[in-house]
Amino acid sequence: MKKYAVHYLASLSCIALMQAPALAQEAADTDIMLEEIVVTAQKREQRLIEVPMAITAMSGTELEERGIDSIQDLSFAVPGLTMREDGPGSYQIFLRGIANAYGGGSLTSIYQDEVPMVLTGYDVLPTRTLDIARIEVLKGPQGTLYGQGAVGGAIRYITNDPVLDAFEGNVSADLSTVDSGSMGAEFTGVVNVPVVEGKFALRLAGTVKTGGGWQDHPEAGIKNGNDEELQNFRLKALWKPTEDLSLLATFVSYHAEYELGQGYENPDRTIFVAIDPSEAQMSKLWDYELYNLTLTYDMGFAELISSSSYVDQTHNYPFSYRGGEDTIYLGGYEGNDERFNPGEQFTQEVRLASTGDGPLQWTVGGFYRDMERSLTAYFEYDYFGFVVTDQEYFSGNKSESFALFANASYRWDRLELGAGVRYFEDKASETNGFAPNQVTEEGKFDTINPRFYLSYALTDDLNMYASVAKGFRSGGFNTGGNPAYDPESLWSYEVGLKGAALDGAVYFDVAGYYTKYDDMLRRGLVFLGVDLGLQSLVSNVGAAEVKGLEASLSWRATDALTFSATGTVIDAEVTEINAEDTSNVVGDPIDYVPDYSFTLGAMYDFQWSADMPGYVRLDYSHRAKMPYVDLTSFPAENTPQFSDTIGLLDARIGLTRGAVSVELYAKNLTNENKYIDPYHAWNNANRTRPRTIGIKMGLDF
């Protein structure tokens, strides 16, 4: 099947160039153009076509039209983006084959505006597409500008700022029904108030959501227990006392509760609970508050930006597991946890960036982070008939880090050369273990991460580029005084081509990359006796390689009809082992990396009547099965474990009359019931959401 995906990508990357001569005159005659996309991936505004890296950018309008709300939705819309979900809002996010469920740090950075949304690889603050301007998915190592967590890339949520000279807003209501589940309702409102016109404005956005569940726990009498009770609010205040100075303050309050919040489910849409299935799990609670103050000052020759942020999270959730018949435990080991996971993080970034259109563009800055989080878990488990209850485990992490970074580029006519570097230093400690035998370990990790790139504008609308970048993830600690693990790093090499054709009616890009992943972290499971149970040890197993090809195409075929397609093919495998008792052998695939994935989309604008425009949109996403290998808990003949191959079809039709809009939509139209995660042999895998049909009504003012 992979060879067909390669043919698909080759066709996708070439179609614009092949069709250009035949269609150029038609495009010129009809003046059909796609909207040009401007991004800030390099922390300054640039046309998407000019940025020397692969980027997927989606406007707020496109996100709404495609029904993309959570990072899980986004992962099916962006080929090469995958994740592990441990219940709603609990994610580990992977990009471009850089996937690893183990290790303390993140492999993909998440930002909301100027705020880092990642505390650790397990603590990623959930972000919804509420009043959003666009999302940018930056592919490949982004350590120079976005830090040590951006090994595989970075995802940026850019929200709408207050408007200083207009009172405006919108309200909407969304009612939906889930196949064999409950009704869901969502109410959203946005209001922008210019308190002092031209000087000071407020923008408040909020969402309240209820229902929409489908998972059952019949032994405890719970039906549709994963109903979502969500309140998400954001307040932004913009003060511009002078033309050169602005201050933007942001406050976010996020609160979500789920009676069944683990996320994992069986094919019959029920959940698994170990030992006593009639006992109800604890509810899941996801709370956080976010504060940010961003100062921007135009100094003439450069722009000074200071961003100070603080986040405080509370995350309580259940965790059940069973080593099933495919594992080495043959169904004889199972358990339940209750986990309590508070955390807080302060960050400060100051940077100075050149302004204007001169040939020399540069950015210099510094970054500071102070993070503290903990996990207290109460275990009960049954190990081949030996039952342990109320065992307490604690893990507390502290990290104080700083970084200095610089990036510069110079353009000679059509050629641009650039380089960047980031120095990172992290002082970390961890206290962990089973009560009362907890130990504390400390360590210091540092690295220098460079990036080099060039781009050449073949024409004003055709740009080729090449880049070399280093990615880095900090080291960390195992439980109970077991050996620490070292940092892991990679080098990624990329070449790409971006272009517009047919007088702007077509946009396309294609990129190929090779990544050498050194000192890769993987888990080994060790049973330390009936009193301590299984402990997860992480070690640097060796090296891996990732080779990939990706492409995208958007074509506005007529003034009313637009087509889009994206796709990727990835070959990712372990190439070297330099440790004993690991979960991998040479030749194993890298976990959570499908061989290929692609999306197809079509949108047609039309008129219901002279004063009632409408649209219809279809989107299809396809992802090959994802592997998982762990020889410490699976016999070799049962590896790799795989998720299902998944194809999801969504449809939406809408109309607008004046300030009122109405949309009908269906997600997962064919009602696919598939494993998204390959870890189902441990009853630790989520499945595709059942078919959801809804109506959304909105009013602009």
Side-chain angles (χ1 to χ4, degrees):
M1 190 67 185
K2 182 187 259 188
K3 67 178 181 181
Y4 298 113
V6 173
H7 294 327
Y8 163 79
L9 280 181
S11 300
L12 181 59
S13 61
C14 296
I15 188 171
L17 296 177
M18 292 172 61
Q19 296 297 321
L23 299 177
Q25 186 60 48
E26 177 186 346
D29 292 343
T30 57
D31 194 27
I32 299 168
M33 295 181 64
L34 292 164
E35 182 178 353
E36 184 169 72
I37 300 174
V38 176
V39 297
T40 53
Q42 298 194 112
K43 302 201 174 180
R44 56 188 174 94
E45 288 192 354
Q46 292 177 282
R47 296 168 63 209
L48 178 60
I49 201 172
E50 295 174 347
V51 183
M53 69 177 73
I55 300 173
T56 295
M58 298 183 187
S59 68
T61 300
E62 180 181 356
L63 293 166
E64 183 176 355
E65 290 171 348
R66 297 178 67 171
I68 296 172
D69 182 37
S70 68
I71 191 72
Q72 183 72 271
D73 298 331
L74 187 66
S75 73
F76 283 102
V78 179
L81 176 62
T82 61
M83 57 186 295
R84 172 168 172 77
E85 178 180 341
D86 293 306
S90 303
Y91 308 117
Q92 292 173 276
I93 302 165
F94 314 125
L95 191 56
R96 264 200 178 178
I98 309 305
N100 195 339
Y102 306 101
S106 171
L107 289 168
T108 302
S109 232
I110 312 291
Y111 274 75
Q112 180 176 291
D113 298 321
E114 294 286 339
V115 183
M117 303 296 284
V118 175
L119 278 69
T120 72
Y122 304 99
D123 302 286
V124 180
L125 303 178
T127 304
R128 304 295 182 99
T129 55
L130 170 66
D131 191 31
I132 195 165
R134 68 184 181 278
I135 286 178
E136 299 175 4
V137 181
L138 286 53
K139 302 175 183 179
Q142 305 296 325
T144 302
L145 293 178
Y146 294 97
Q148 65 99 7
V151 185
I155 301 172
R156 306 181 65 229
Y157 291 78
I158 294 93
T159 64
N160 288 314
D161 285 339
V163 179
L164 291 172
D165 57 1
F167 176 82
E168 61 184 20
N170 60 77
V171 293
S172 66
D174 188 323
L175 303 176
S176 62
T177 179
V178 181
D179 186 76
S180 300
S182 65
M183 293 288 295
E186 181 175 0
F187 304 95
T188 300
V190 178
V191 61
N192 186 95
V193 181
V195 180
V196 179
E197 188 168 342
K199 295 292 185 181
F200 182 67
L202 299 173
R203 190 176 186 95
L204 175 65
T207 292
V208 176
K209 192 173 184 179
T210 185
W214 66 90
Q215 294 178 356
D216 300 335
H217 184 185
E219 297 90 346
I222 298 173
K223 188 170 180 60
N224 304 323
N226 62 328
D227 280 343
E228 182 174 39
E229 304 300 325
L230 171 70
Q231 298 91 44
N232 185 21
F233 296 94
R234 180 173 65 245
L235 176 64
K236 301 181 82 171
L238 176 61
W239 180 37
K240 194 174 178 64
T242 71
E243 283 299 312
D244 298 328
L245 176 65
S246 66
L247 290 98
L248 178 63
T250 302
F251 168 72
V252 176
S253 173
Y254 184 97
H255 174 85
E257 288 188 65
Y258 312 83
E259 185 178 15
L260 299 181
Q262 184 170 237
Y264 315 139
E265 60 182 297
N266 300 313
D268 63 358
R269 302 297 189 182
T270 63
I271 70 161
F272 169 80
V273 175
I275 303 176
D276 182 3
S278 66
E279 183 177 344
Q281 291 182 322
M282 69 178 291
S283 298
K284 179 186 179 75
L285 173 68
W286 230 134
D287 275 358
Y288 72 81
E289 291 186 347
L290 178 156
Y291 306 84
N292 175 259
L293 179 63
T294 298
L295 177 150
T296 304
Y297 181 63
D298 188 348
M299 304 173 68
F301 73 98
E303 186 175 69
L304 176 66
I305 297 176
S306 169
S307 174
S308 308
S309 64
Y310 173 78
V311 295
D312 186 2
Q313 74 163 35
T314 299
H315 185 198
N316 304 331
Y317 59 101
F319 183 76
S320 295
Y321 56 90
R322 175 178 180 267
E325 283 69 21
D326 279 355
T327 73
I328 62 175
Y329 303 102
L330 302 174
Y333 177 60
E334 63 180 42
N336 303 306
D337 303 349
E338 292 188 348
R339 301 184 174 188
F340 302 86
N341 181 202
E344 59 181 341
Q345 175 171 275
F346 171 78
T347 61
Q348 173 67 53
E349 179 169 316
V350 178
R351 66 179 184 269
L352 189 66
S354 61
T355 55
D357 299 324
L360 177 64
Q361 298 289 325
W362 52 268
T363 301
V364 296
F367 180 83
Y368 172 80
R369 182 182 83 139
D370 187 2
M371 184 277 296
E372 184 172 351
R373 53 87 70 181
S374 67
L375 172 68
T376 301
Y378 298 95
F379 294 172
E380 62 172 4
Y381 63 86
D382 182 341
Y383 186 75
F384 294 95
F386 186 89
V387 178
V388 174
T389 60
D390 293 328
Q391 185 178 60
E392 180 181 343
Y393 172 82
F394 176 82
S395 173
N397 301 86
K398 295 182 180 180
S399 172
E400 186 176 15
S401 64
F402 75 91
L404 301 173
F405 60 89
N407 188 78
S409 65
Y410 194 88
R411 178 176 291 277
W412 294 270
D413 192 19
R414 295 187 177 276
L415 175 66
E416 182 179 21
L417 297 178
V421 65
R422 189 182 191 99
Y423 173 76
F424 168 82
E425 184 175 300
D426 181 19
K427 295 181 180 178
S429 66
E430 180 170 330
T431 300
N432 59 49
F434 292 89
N437 301 312
Q438 295 161 354
V439 298
T440 299
E441 297 179 87
E442 297 180 345
K444 177 181 174 182
F445 310 99
D446 59 72
T447 184
I448 297 176
N449 300 301
R451 176 178 178 240
F452 309 95
Y453 57 93
L454 66 85
S455 64
Y456 185 79
L458 300 169
T459 70
D460 289 343
D461 293 317
L462 186 61
N463 197 49
M464 60 182 296
Y465 68 89
S467 68
V468 179
K470 182 186 176 187
F472 170 84
R473 179 164 67 156
S474 193
F477 311 100
N478 280 298
T479 59
N482 287 293
Y485 52 86
D486 296 326
E488 58 180 355
S489 63
L490 61 80
W491 281 93
S492 185
Y493 309 84
E494 178 179 345
V495 293
L497 181 70
K498 300 181 178 184
L502 310 185
D503 290 330
V506 168
Y507 172 84
F508 65 94
D509 62 64
V510 59
Y513 58 91
Y514 169 78
T515 301
K516 185 70 168 64
Y517 193 173
D518 293 319
D519 301 316
M520 185 181 181
L521 296 174
R522 283 295 283 134
R523 183 187 68 162
L525 282 177
V526 179
F527 187 72
L528 300 180
V530 293
D531 292 332
L532 298 180
L534 284 171
Q535 291 197 28
S536 176
L537 303 183
V538 177
S539 60
N540 303 85
V541 304
E545 290 183 355
V546 182
K547 305 168 189 173
L549 176 67
E550 58 193 22
S552 72
L553 171 71
S554 298
W555 176 30
R556 191 168 182 182
T558 71
D559 190 48
L561 181 62
T562 302
F563 296 103
S564 63
T566 62
T568 187
V569 175
I570 303 176
D571 181 11
E573 67 175 32
V574 175
T575 58
E576 180 183 338
I577 294 291
N578 56 18
E580 297 180 357
D581 300 322
T582 66
S583 55
N584 288 94
V585 297
V586 171
D588 281 344
I590 295 180
D591 299 338
Y592 292 91
V593 181
D595 285 343
Y596 66 93
S597 54
F598 64 87
T599 69
L600 301 170
M603 182 166 171
Y604 183 70
D605 296 306
F606 61 94
Q607 295 290 133
W608 292 95
S609 66
D611 61 349
M612 192 183 298
Y615 78 92
V616 60
R617 181 175 185 117
L618 292 174
D619 288 285
Y620 177 75
S621 64
H622 185 93
R623 178 192 291 168
K625 58 188 179 182
M626 296 192 299
Y628 180 84
V629 179
D630 184 355
L631 295 174
T632 65
S633 60
F634 290 92
E637 61 269 21
N638 290 343
T639 61
Q641 294 281 300
F642 286 103
S643 68
D644 291 324
T645 297
I646 299 172
L648 299 176
L649 178 64
D650 299 338
R652 189 172 293 247
I653 187 169
L655 63 85
T656 302
R657 183 164 187 175
V660 178
S661 62
V662 179
E663 298 172 327
L664 296 174
Y665 64 88
K667 303 187 70 173
N668 189 8
L669 193 60
T670 57
N671 204 23
E672 299 296 309
N673 181 4
K674 304 287 188 179
Y675 275 120
I676 298 175
D677 198 292
Y679 208 54
H680 44 80
W682 279 89
N683 286 92
N684 280 178
N686 58 329
R687 299 181 70 85
T688 50
R689 180 188 179 96
R691 178 173 52 230
T692 302
I693 298 174
I695 181 171
K696 182 178 181 180
M697 297 158 285
L699 173 67
D700 294 332
F701 59 86

